[in-house]
Amino acid sequence: MSYAPDAVRAKLSALNETQESIVSVAQWVMFHRRRADETVQLWFQRLKDSGANKRLNLIYLANEVVQQSKARKKDDFLIAYSPIIAEATAAAYRGATHEVQQKLRRVIEVWRTRQIFETPIQEAVEARIDELDKSRSSGKKSLGGSIFSNSSGSSAPAEFQPIIPLQVAVSKAALAVNSTKSTADTEYGKLTDPNVATPSPPVHAARLSALLKNLSSAESAVSESIKARHALIEGLEKILETNRTALVSEQSQHYEVTSRKSTIEAKKRDVEDGIMRDLSAEPPTNGSPGIIAQTNGKNPSPSVEPERPRVEELTPPPFESLTPAGSPTPLDHEVKITTTTGADIIHEQQPDHTEPPPATQPPLIAPAAASPLAGADLLSSLSLPPVRSYSGSPSNGSVFKKRKMEPGFAEMGTGDAMEGLDEDVAELLRAESGGH
């Protein structure tokens, strides 16, 4: 079927919600892609004249056409749909049921995910849908809220809201410039090509008139694009000036905060140094040497090591230091002997052969002819004092202190030597000594 406006209207009227119907009409439309602008205008007019369900089918058709064009890298329909797609989706969304609105939202989300349209066009579509939700009489969004608020990126900041319409206008103007300029260039090349034969004057005049019309359209589109870009640049300059003023203020704040931080750090170091000086000034405890802080503000350093404590000697003190005052002084010939156990030393008298004899001579006992008798040995032991020798006594001839004679030893030489003995023993001793 050749292309004609009535043929396009017939295809759009026969469109239904099935996949086969949408795909077949989309293929026919794309086959006549050179007439994309005219086809899109007819599609838009049909959408505005249809009901809610029919509008959803027309949006499905546009979705199939633009996705196939994007996949095949044919931008004719993308350029044709970009100026009107935001208004078309808003017209389909307005007054539709909640189910239809949710289906439209899913289609718009697919466009964002696959980046079918340019970002300004996509944001314009989402903004129109959100405005319709906000303008409801209830003041509440539909169930589930807006799918564009946090779907694939954050919404534009409030500072950029004034320039969003300006950017949308620039995008639309740029698309119009591309379309009209491309047509004007093509027609101009055909008429000015020297290799092409010049047609008859009436035909040539008609083609020149058509070319002038195309050039006028291109000129108008370029002028609108220039105005839109001037407005966008003006809005961007306002944002830029606002940010420059904020930058100067923030730099001043940064300098102020940095200065305060440096001051507080210095004060903190002074307080910590004071704490260390106070701790070093405290007296040492438990006998440990203290730490003396330097006066020049540097870190404290340990003081000179003190003298070693004196250790008590293990050698016992001399005898004179333990002798009470007024005690008698030992004789010069006495030798002071001490022991480690603290026991008294017993000094024995050495034998002195010059000791005077006792006043009364004891009776002499004649020695026996044979070996000495046991009785004589007993008597001789009683007549002489015992002499004890110790291995620890000095051997250099020192004189020991003489023990005083106890009373009774001097009287042993007087009287009967057998006095006090048993009678039988005394009789035996007398018989052996020959006193019989």
Side-chain angles (χ1 to χ4, degrees):
M1 181 183 295
S2 62
Y3 183 87
D6 293 337
V8 176
R9 294 189 187 98
K11 291 286 185 181
L12 296 177
S13 298
L15 183 68
N16 56 48
E17 67 276 3
T18 62
Q19 183 71 18
E20 294 79 2
S21 176
I22 294 173
V23 171
S24 63
V25 174
Q27 290 178 352
W28 185 86
V29 168
M30 292 181 64
F31 179 77
H32 300 283
R33 61 184 179 82
R34 294 184 181 275
R35 311 291 292 270
D37 293 336
E38 187 177 356
T39 303
V40 169
Q41 292 299 328
L42 293 172
W43 171 88
F44 186 37
Q45 186 63 39
R46 180 62 181 175
L47 185 141
K48 290 188 292 184
D49 297 338
S50 302
N53 292 331
K54 189 66 175 181
R55 290 175 181 176
L56 179 61
N57 296 336
L58 292 172
I59 293 294
Y60 283 159
L61 175 62
N63 176 60
E64 181 69 18
V65 171
V66 294
Q67 288 204 48
Q68 291 295 331
S69 299
K70 186 76 172 181
R72 299 177 184 180
K73 297 181 180 181
K74 304 294 183 179
D75 298 337
D76 301 87
F77 281 99
L78 291 173
I79 295 173
Y81 271 111
S82 294
I84 64 157
I85 193 63
E87 186 177 355
T89 52
Y93 191 85
R94 186 185 300 109
T97 62
H98 176 69
E99 182 181 0
V100 173
Q101 289 180 348
Q102 292 301 317
K103 291 179 179 179
L104 290 172
R105 286 180 179 275
R106 284 195 289 271
V107 172
I108 298 171
E109 180 63 21
V110 170
W111 293 347
R112 169 177 281 276
T113 303
R114 299 182 181 180
Q115 299 180 353
I116 302 299
F117 296 100
E118 295 182 0
T119 302
I121 303 299
Q122 181 70 30
E123 290 178 353
V125 172
E126 297 173 0
R128 293 295 296 274
I129 298 300
D130 290 339
E131 287 175 1
L132 291 175
D133 287 336
K134 293 178 182 178
S135 63
R136 289 183 178 181
S137 58
S138 60
K140 296 181 180 179
K141 292 185 177 182
S142 60
L143 296 177
S146 175
I147 63 174
F148 311 118
S149 57
N150 295 312
S151 59
S152 61
S154 59
S155 59
E159 294 81 1
F160 292 96
Q161 293 297 331
I163 65 172
I164 290 179
L166 301 177
Q167 180 62 49
V168 173
V170 168
S171 299
K172 291 181 179 180
L175 292 174
V177 167
N178 293 335
S179 177
T180 56
K181 182 68 167 50
S182 176
T183 303
D185 291 341
T186 302
E187 296 297 330
Y188 180 81
K190 291 179 179 179
L191 291 178
T192 58
D193 189 1
N195 298 324
V196 178
T198 304
S200 60
V203 175
H204 189 59
R207 291 181 179 180
L208 290 175
S209 297
L211 178 58
L212 287 174
K213 183 179 178 180
N214 292 333
L215 292 174
S216 298
S217 299
E219 181 184 9
S220 177
V222 172
S223 298
E224 292 296 328
S225 178
I226 292 173
K227 291 179 182 179
R229 291 193 184 276
H230 276 300
L232 178 60
I233 292 172
E234 192 175 324
L236 292 173
E237 286 178 348
K238 290 181 180 179
I239 295 177
L240 181 61
E241 185 63 26
T242 302
N243 283 272
R244 284 176 178 171
T245 305
L247 177 61
V248 173
S249 176
E250 290 174 355
Q251 287 177 344
S252 176
Q253 293 175 4
H254 181 267
Y255 176 76
E256 181 181 359
V257 171
T258 304
S259 301
R260 290 179 178 179
K261 179 183 176 183
S262 301
T263 303
I264 295 303
E265 287 179 349
K267 185 179 295 185
K268 177 176 174 290
R269 287 194 297 268
D270 293 341
V271 172
E272 291 176 350
D273 293 342
I275 293 174
M276 295 301 298
R277 287 193 294 269
D278 293 342
L279 292 177
S280 62
E282 293 180 0
T285 57
N286 299 330
S288 61
I291 298 177
I292 302 176
Q294 297 181 0
T295 59
N296 55 2
K298 298 181 179 178
N299 296 330
S301 59
S303 60
V304 181
E305 184 179 359
E307 297 180 358
R308 296 182 180 274
R310 295 185 178 182
V311 183
E312 184 180 357
E313 298 179 358
L314 297 178
T315 305
F319 179 78
E320 289 79 358
S321 62
L322 301 177
T323 304
S327 299
T329 305
L331 298 178
D332 296 339
H333 62 276
E334 293 179 348
V335 178
K336 297 180 289 295
I337 302 175
T338 58
T339 61
T340 58
T341 58
D344 294 337
I345 300 299
I346 300 176
H347 301 282
E348 297 294 340
Q349 182 179 2
Q350 293 185 354
D352 188 3
H353 300 285
T354 61
E355 183 178 4
T360 305
Q361 294 289 339
L364 298 176
I365 301 176
S371 63
L373 300 177
D377 294 338
L378 177 62
L379 291 178
S380 62
S381 63
L382 293 176
S383 62
L384 296 176
V387 178
R388 298 179 183 178
S389 60
Y390 298 93
S391 60
S393 59
S395 59
N396 54 357
S398 300
V399 181
F400 286 59
K401 184 178 179 181
K402 297 180 180 181
R403 177 180 293 181
K404 294 182 180 180
M405 299 292 294
E406 295 182 2
F409 279 90
E411 296 176 0
M412 290 181 62
T414 61
D416 189 1
M418 302 300 177
E419 185 178 359
L421 299 177
D422 188 68
E423 293 181 358
D424 296 334
V425 174
E427 185 66 23
L428 179 59
L429 291 175
R430 291 189 183 95
E432 292 179 354
S433 60
H436 63 277

